[in-house]
Amino acid sequence: TSPVTEVNATSGAAPVTLADGSNGQIKTIINVSTSGTNAVTITPSNLRGYTSIVLNAPGETVTCMFKNSNWNIIAGNGYTTA
């Protein structure tokens, strides 16, 4: 329920699940790793158009808004989708 989540994947890959939110909820996830390229793989319950979001390096971010029963990507830096 917090608006910002920091994930440290310095020691290894970091899988993250994201439950459905409430209409209008905004969530930002930040890869705060200090080194390396371990992936933070975010798998929301419902993501419009995709199944997951990947942050591969320190400083990469994604911001999503929950609306109409889906998380919608509205901003970010360096993320990829699958």
Side-chain angles (χ1 to χ4, degrees):
T1 59
S2 65
V4 177
T5 298
E6 297 178 335
V7 180
N8 187 333
T10 299
S11 297
V16 175
T17 58
L18 182 58
D20 287 347
S22 57
N23 240 10
Q25 181 179 351
I26 295 176
K27 179 73 168 181
T28 299
I29 300 173
I30 306 167
N31 182 341
V32 295
S33 302
T34 56
S35 64
T37 57
N38 295 315
V40 174
T41 302
I42 306 152
T43 307
S45 296
N46 293 290
L47 178 61
R48 188 173 310 279
Y50 306 99
T51 57
S52 62
I53 304 163
V54 179
L55 309 177
N56 283 315
E60 291 186 350
T61 65
V62 68
T63 300
C64 299
M65 175 189 288
F66 194 80
K67 185 70 176 169
N68 299 325
S69 301
N70 283 282
W71 285 105
N72 299 272
I73 298 170
I74 59 173
N77 174 54
Y79 68 89
T80 59
T81 54

